[in-house]
């Protein structure tokens, strides 16, 4: 592939994919809502400022692209946009442009087990777009990663306080993946024929083991407290009843997947403990800097 249109380039995964593509000598057209959010300067990089939710603003955006990679999606809702506005419609607008421009392939990053989780607002939108992509006739790959390392921060925050709260017995497994490892896999898909790729990090861990890793990062022994699943279910129900989709969407997803086995094929080299230790070191450096100011 000579030229890739990358949508979602300013996010956690998108920034890693951008770096991976440039490191491989691939020409990139990076789409951003605000150009200044991409701080990389590179001779192979063109930055296009556009609003994917507005079809008129992206007209002809894929004209010079051989393939599209999209990791567009809402993590925390902003600007009153819904999951349907972004995870579905923005990607659909991009797909329409890809089809009109005759690109060769479209790679879309969704979520592991998204097909089983259509009842959740975030997955409903993602799967609606995945269905559209599959029906488009375009060569495609839907990449379904496990949780990102960046999603594992709640374990570390709890561990800092000495207690990690889990639902059930904590023995359900998952293998979160670092953005750099996932970026490599996504870029590899440009030259592969798989339509569906389930993927996770190299370590398959129970929730209890992730809590232990978080305690290790702080060099302390902590306590794991197991809560009954009825509390998790009640929390989801109350959030749905008394908060907006903007508030409950991320919690609904997190609390639901905490009661599922989220094992995926292992891939990559980055370990969760190293990621946690890096965050702890950063916290220490910030505190020392604050103390000197």
């Amino acid at each position: 592939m000579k030229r890739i249109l990358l949508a979602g380039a300013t996010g956690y995964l998108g920034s890693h994919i951008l770096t991976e593509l440039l490191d491989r000598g691939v020409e990139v057209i990076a789409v951003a809502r605000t150009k200044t959010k991409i701080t990389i300067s590179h001779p192979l990089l063109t930055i296009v400022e556009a609003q994917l939710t507005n079809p008129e603003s992206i007209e002809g955006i894929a004209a010079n692209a051989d393939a599209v990679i999209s990791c567009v999606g809402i993590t925390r809702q902003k600007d009153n946009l819904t999951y349907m506005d972004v995870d579905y419609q923005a990607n659909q607008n991009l797909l329409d442009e890809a089809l009109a421009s005759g690109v060769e392939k479209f790679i879309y990053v969704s979520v592991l087990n998204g097909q089983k989780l259509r009842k959740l607002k975030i997955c409903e939108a993602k799967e609606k777009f995945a269905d559209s992509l599959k029906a488009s006739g375009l060569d495609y790959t839907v990449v379904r990663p496990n949780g990102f390392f960046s999603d594992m921060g709640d374990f570390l925050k709890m561990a800092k306080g000495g207690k990690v709260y889990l639902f059930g017995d904590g023995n359900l497994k998952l293998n979160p993946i670092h953005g750099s490892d996932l970026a490599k896999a996504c870029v590899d898909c440009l030259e592969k024929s798989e339509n569906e790729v389930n993927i996770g990090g190299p370590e398959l861990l129970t929730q209890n083991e992730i809590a232990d890793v978080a305690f290790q990062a702080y060099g302390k022994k902590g306590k794991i407290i197991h809560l009954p699943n009825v509390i998790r279910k009640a929390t989801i129900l109350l959030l749905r009843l008394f908060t907006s989709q903007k508030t409950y969407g991320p919690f609904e997803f997190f609390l639901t997947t905490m009661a599922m086995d989220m094992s995926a094929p292992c891939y990559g080299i980055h370990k969760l403990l190293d990621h946690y230790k890096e965050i702890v070191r950063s916290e220490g450096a910030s505190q020392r800097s604050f103390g000197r100011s």
Side-chain angles (χ1 to χ4, degrees):
M1 298 289 179
K2 297 178 182 178
R3 189 180 293 109
I4 306 301
L5 178 66
L6 174 61
T10 60
Y12 170 74
L13 176 58
S15 60
H16 283 288
I17 292 177
L18 176 57
T19 298
E20 182 67 23
L21 286 166
L22 294 175
D23 285 348
R24 295 193 191 192
V26 178
E27 189 173 347
V28 183
I29 305 164
V31 184
R33 294 178 67 188
T34 306
K35 276 187 175 184
T36 54
K37 288 189 175 182
I38 298 179
T39 57
I40 296 175
S41 178
H42 196 285
L44 293 175
L45 174 62
T46 301
I47 303 172
V48 177
E49 191 169 276
Q51 307 294 325
L52 292 174
T53 52
N54 178 2
E56 292 180 0
S57 82
I58 63 169
E59 189 173 347
I61 199 170
N64 297 315
D66 298 303
V68 174
I69 299 177
S70 176
C71 43
V72 171
I74 295 176
T75 302
R76 293 286 186 267
Q77 290 183 326
K78 301 174 183 177
D79 302 333
N80 295 316
L81 295 171
T82 66
Y83 292 116
M84 278 297 174
D85 291 333
V86 179
D87 292 74
Y88 169 67
Q89 192 60 58
N91 281 299
Q92 183 62 51
N93 294 341
L94 190 61
L95 175 59
D96 290 342
E97 287 298 322
L99 290 168
S101 299
V103 304
E104 297 174 27
K105 188 165 188 175
F106 195 115
I107 295 172
Y108 173 58
V109 182
S110 183
V111 62
L112 184 68
N113 291 326
Q115 311 97 312
K116 301 176 184 178
L117 297 169
R118 286 178 182 262
K119 63 182 180 180
L120 306 184
K121 289 297 182 182
I122 185 172
C123 294
E124 177 189 15
K126 287 181 179 296
E127 290 309 307
K128 184 176 180 180
F129 175 69
D131 291 343
S132 181
L133 178 58
K134 293 171 188 178
S136 69
L138 190 63
D139 187 14
Y140 74 90
T141 300
V142 177
V143 181
R144 299 187 178 279
N146 213 319
F148 300 163
F149 275 15
S150 59
D151 298 326
M152 297 293 107
D154 288 337
F155 284 90
L156 193 61
K157 288 176 185 176
M158 289 188 286
K160 186 176 183 179
K163 295 178 182 178
V164 172
Y165 295 88
L166 300 174
F167 296 102
D169 60 14
N171 288 322
L172 291 171
K173 294 183 177 181
L174 65 158
N175 49 328
I177 187 166
H178 191 282
S180 177
D181 288 334
L182 182 54
K184 287 180 171 61
C186 289
V187 175
D188 285 346
C189 287
L190 290 167
E191 305 298 337
K192 293 184 177 180
S193 59
E194 292 97 332
N195 292 132
E196 296 269 346
V197 175
N198 294 333
I199 187 170
E203 302 172 291
L204 192 56
L205 304 168
T206 66
Q207 294 170 10
N208 289 321
E209 289 170 335
I210 291 176
D212 288 335
V213 168
F215 289 130
Q216 287 179 49
Y218 278 109
K220 65 167 70 173
K221 288 187 177 181
K223 185 176 182 180
I224 301 175
I225 298 172
H226 297 96
L227 302 173
N229 261 309
V230 66
I231 295 178
R232 180 188 62 81
K233 293 177 181 178
T235 302
I236 293 174
L237 178 60
L238 290 171
L239 286 168
R240 286 175 178 167
L241 287 174
F242 297 109
T243 68
S244 67
Q245 181 189 128
K246 179 177 180 179
T247 300
Y248 77 70
F251 292 104
E252 177 188 51
F253 178 76
F254 176 75
L255 290 172
T256 300
T257 56
M258 285 294 286
M260 296 175 60
D261 181 273
M262 293 293 283
S263 304
C266 294
Y267 179 87
I269 60 172
H270 289 85
K271 303 294 182 68
L272 185 60
L273 179 58
D274 294 332
H275 172 70
Y276 278 164
K277 283 183 174 179
E278 184 178 342
I279 294 174
V280 172
R281 280 194 298 269
S282 242
E283 289 176 351
S286 295
Q287 289 170 358
R288 287 192 295 273
S289 175
F290 179 77
R292 288 194 297 268
S293 62

